[in-house]
Amino acid sequence: MAEFRLSAQNPAQPGDPAARKGAEGENFPVASRLIPAPYRPHVMAFYAFARLADDIADDPHVDPDMKIAQLDALERALVSGIGNQPWLAPALTLKATQTATGVSGIHARQLLQAFRRDAMGSHCKTWQDLVLYCRYSANPVGRFLLELHGEGINAAPASDALCTALQILNHIQDCRHDWVELGRCYLPTAWFKEAGGSVEHLVETEATPPVRAVIDRTLDNVDSLLRRASALPRLIANPGLRMESAVIVEMAIALSKQLRRRDPLAGKVQVGAFSRLGAVLLGVLRGMSRRPPRLSPASGLAKAGSYGTSTFYWPMRLLGKRKRRAMFAIYGFCRAVDDIADGTENTEVKRGSLTDWQRRIDAMYGMPATGRHHGRLRDLAAAVRRYNLPQAEFQAVIDGMMMDVDGPIRAPSLGQLAQYCRRVAGAVGLLAVRVFGRGDASADAFALALGEALQLTNILRDVEEDARDGRCYLPEEMLEDAGIDVYAVQSDPVALLSDPALPEVCEAMACKAEAAFVQAAGLLKQPHRKLWPAAAMMVLYHRILVRLRQRGWGPDALSHRPRLGKWEKISVALSCALGRPPRL
């Protein structure tokens, strides 16, 4: 990784927001020496930003509207990279980190959502409320670290469990301070009533029986989270991050035990020096011993996608090492931006995250061939250089995801549908055929036809799921031909699922997909030895289309998604690799 240093920060002027404590005052290690040295400045940049934002939200001397204004200013500086006020320096430094590493800005922006909630002084009524709060106030920290180190998304659930547990332990430690000084209660307020007490009991300097009951009940749930988090070290490939996570798990377990023995209302409960040392030693030993199992040769971006169960997996898996890594990297990029478009964040955050990806792609193409790319971009950058992949096609994929974000897409015209398919599927096909060894006009025409066929098949497979997510990709012309009210579909896609004319529309769409497969197969009759992985994808996806039509399009059938067996996928991939592709 290229050398990165924290920029010198001008001291904040009197009255400006400022962090009130440093990393040494935290319960758990921040960028300790277990973390590889090149990563530490980036971790500290994220910490400095989060610390400042948290302290803005917790400042008892500033009114809520001013806090929100300051948090908004931080976000603007983070997104734009522009800020003249000295106190905005942490946002500018984190922006530089994001540019240098390619790590998404969504993690820091999610933290800001939680801090805005803090600024308004809201409470957590139920355990579910508290977990949802932690999803934004704590989990992005772990997600940032995983992405920074190029770790796979399979580690995210355990990371989320650990971050949520750490956040709640901190809330228990500070429960009296939060209530007395800030008027907040993060412990589930409904539990106080169930225990026969009141949140007001938190003003006492000794826990009442109801407060103790709530603390113990909360710790029971925290311990459950920590049991799930204990799997994290063996899911992390980077040795330093693996040991750091194991140390933090052990320290969290030790703090939970202390909070059961001692009263957080009577004073600050912390892990003692001896227990802390023991947790560090035990964590390091466990981190060293819990190495993750050896995975597929794919790494970096490829880890972002669950490619192992994908229809594409075996045609890609049987490629040579370099081509396989390139295809997994492209697939991982597509999976990453698709997850953003399908996520639960608001439109502004999604657009910002996709814009981050656009900037990363721009930076990747702008960096000299000798430059060192980081984490998720490493394999993708190598594929771009080796196979001369066109930047415009990565941009096209992002543009397609923007169509989903700015929509949602509901009953598009045939022209809009064609544009969408070209962006989200055709672009991927054009990238793939270059990795396979072809970049001529004939191969490009095949890639575009096959991309349309695959995407139309996906749309038919996901009709019910898309409708429940507020989307409908079935074109308005087909809906009108079947006598379906397009405006009603655009208002409520779920209503389409019970419309008796839906099977007619789906069958018309299936005929369109079949025509695209036939066109692609015709174009493949040219010498196509290098395109055998694409031929395998074509055969496998066509079988899905055939089974969808055999299943039918009735309301009861839509929830049953045809699947191809593992050995069927392997057989088709091997036949195509040997030059004997099955017929459509």
Side-chain angles (χ1 to χ4, degrees):
M1 182 189 300
E3 186 178 7
F4 178 89
R5 289 189 176 93
L6 292 174
S7 59
Q9 298 181 5
N10 297 325
Q13 301 301 311
D16 282 348
R20 293 190 293 277
K21 73 174 180 179
E24 67 282 354
E26 302 294 343
N27 280 325
F28 304 98
V30 178
S32 77
R33 291 191 176 275
L34 293 174
I35 296 293
Y39 295 92
R40 290 178 211 151
H42 302 301
V43 176
M44 289 307 300
F46 190 86
Y47 171 79
F49 175 87
R51 183 71 269 160
L52 174 59
D54 192 16
D55 285 344
I56 287 173
D58 288 350
D59 192 334
H61 306 297
V62 178
D63 66 76
D65 289 342
M66 178 57 73
K67 292 178 181 180
I68 296 296
Q70 291 172 344
L71 292 171
D72 288 347
L74 264 184
E75 184 164 25
R76 286 193 297 272
L78 176 66
V79 172
S80 67
I82 300 171
N84 296 323
Q85 296 168 288
W87 69 271
L88 293 173
L92 304 181
T93 303
L94 181 55
K95 177 66 174 180
T97 268
Q98 291 170 186
T99 301
T101 64
V103 174
S104 172
I106 192 172
H107 312 299
R109 298 181 74 184
Q110 285 179 331
L111 290 179
L112 292 176
Q113 291 187 57
F115 297 145
R116 289 188 182 98
R117 172 177 166 169
D118 285 340
M120 301 307 296
S122 59
H123 306 317
C124 295
K125 183 178 180 181
T126 66
W127 172 257
Q128 289 72 25
D129 290 340
L130 178 53
V131 170
L132 179 61
Y133 169 77
C134 292
R135 175 182 174 184
Y136 293 95
S137 69
N139 297 0
V141 178
R143 297 288 184 118
F144 169 84
L145 289 170
L146 291 177
E147 185 175 350
L148 177 66
H149 288 78
E151 298 296 335
I153 199 68
N154 60 317
S159 171
D160 290 347
L162 177 58
C163 291
T164 296
L166 300 181
Q167 179 74 86
I168 296 173
L169 287 171
N170 182 251
H171 289 327
I172 296 174
Q173 284 178 298
D174 297 339
C175 60
R176 184 176 186 276
H177 172 271
D178 289 340
W179 181 250
V180 173
E181 300 296 332
L182 303 174
R184 298 182 202 153
C185 181
Y186 295 99
L187 305 184
T189 56
W191 289 3
F192 287 90
K193 294 180 181 179
E194 293 174 18
S198 166
V199 178
E200 296 293 341
H201 290 188
L202 291 174
V203 302
E204 304 293 339
T205 57
E206 183 178 335
T208 62
V211 170
R212 187 70 248 180
V214 171
I215 291 173
D216 289 341
R217 184 176 178 182
T218 305
L219 288 170
D220 289 341
N221 286 10
V222 167
D223 289 345
S224 177
L225 288 169
L226 290 175
R227 284 192 290 273
R228 287 159 50 191
S230 65
L232 180 60
R234 58 177 171 267
L235 298 173
I236 294 176
N238 184 279
L241 184 61
R242 184 169 67 244
M243 287 188 285
E244 178 104 326
S245 68
V247 167
I248 292 174
V249 168
E250 295 303 323
M251 292 180 68
I253 292 171
L255 179 56
S256 179
K257 291 178 179 178
Q258 287 293 321
L259 286 166
R260 285 191 185 276
R261 298 187 187 115
R262 298 167 57 189
D263 183 355
L265 272 65
K268 186 76 168 182
V269 177
Q270 294 179 310
V271 177
F274 182 77
S275 297
R276 192 179 184 92
L277 176 60
V280 169
L281 294 175
L282 184 58
V284 168
L285 289 173
R286 289 185 172 174
M288 293 174 64
S289 63
R290 295 182 180 179
R291 297 182 179 180
R294 185 176 180 82
L295 301 175
S296 160
S299 63
L301 241 182
K303 297 176 184 176
S306 54
Y307 50 82
T309 58
S310 167
T311 306
F312 298 148
Y313 176 72
W314 283 105
M316 291 192 289
R317 185 66 184 84
L318 296 180
L319 286 166
K321 181 178 179 180
R322 288 184 174 180
K323 292 184 178 182
R324 180 170 66 242
R325 291 179 72 94
M327 285 304 301
F328 280 149
I330 294 170
Y331 178 79
F333 160 76
C334 296
R335 186 73 263 159
V337 294
D338 187 54
D339 285 346
I340 291 171
D342 289 344
T344 59
E345 313 300 335
N346 62 48
T347 298
E348 181 185 356
V349 172
K350 289 182 180 181
R351 295 189 75 205
S353 299
L354 290 174
T355 300
D356 282 344
W357 265 109
Q358 180 177 325
R359 289 170 178 162
R360 278 182 256 173
I361 295 297
D362 290 344
M364 183 175 68
Y365 276 86
M367 184 176 290
T370 55
R372 296 188 64 186
H373 295 276
H374 172 77
R376 287 186 161 198
L377 294 180
R378 189 183 306 115
D379 286 350
L380 196 60
V384 165
R385 292 194 302 269
R386 183 169 290 118
Y387 302 107
N388 195 27
L389 302 181
Q391 181 178 358
E393 300 310 326
F394 289 106
Q395 181 60 56
V397 175
I398 294 173
D399 289 343
M401 298 306 153
M402 281 291 192
M403 291 176 70
D404 275 323
V405 169
D406 291 338
I409 296 175
R410 294 180 179 178
S413 67
L414 283 168
Q416 290 170 330
L417 178 62
Q419 182 186 51
Y420 180 75
C421 291
R422 168 62 179 85
R423 288 175 171 177
V424 303
V428 181
L430 293 174
L431 293 170
V433 294
R434 281 156 175 75
V435 174
F436 299 154
R438 294 277 297 275
D440 53 277
S442 175
D444 284 354
F446 163 73
L448 292 174
L450 181 58
E452 180 181 9
L454 301 188
Q455 189 60 33
L456 295 179
T457 303
N458 278 335
I459 288 171
L460 287 166
R461 183 195 61 196
D462 298 337
V463 165
E464 181 182 50
E465 180 181 335
D466 287 336
R468 300 197 184 284
D469 287 340
R471 297 173 180 165
C472 175
Y473 296 94
L474 300 176
E476 61 177 340
E477 292 90 342
M478 291 183 183
L479 294 169
E480 289 173 345
D481 289 345
I484 295 175
D485 185 346
V486 172
Y487 295 106
V489 173
Q490 291 173 339
S491 299
D492 181 16
V494 174
L496 178 64
L497 300 177
S498 58
D499 194 300
L502 176 60
E504 180 183 343
V505 179
C506 290
E507 188 57 31
M509 189 75 148
C511 289
K512 182 175 176 62
E514 181 69 32
F517 275 115
V518 171
Q519 180 187 6
L523 291 166
L524 196 61
K525 288 182 180 178
Q526 306 300 323
H528 63 274
R529 185 70 184 86
K530 294 180 179 179
L531 296 180
W532 73 260
M537 296 175 194
M538 179 176 69
V539 171
L540 290 171
Y541 252 80
H542 185 260
R543 291 186 181 184
I544 292 175
L545 177 64
V546 169
R547 292 174 195 182
L548 283 168
R549 300 179 82 175
Q550 292 172 342
R551 179 207 66 183
W553 313 104
D556 295 334
L558 291 176
S559 60
H560 301 291
R561 293 170 46 145
R563 299 184 183 278
L564 305 180
K566 174 181 176 181
W567 293 110
E568 182 177 11
K569 297 175 187 176
I570 294 174
S571 174
V572 169
L574 284 173
S575 296
C576 291
L578 295 172
R580 296 192 295 272
R583 292 184 178 181
L584 291 185

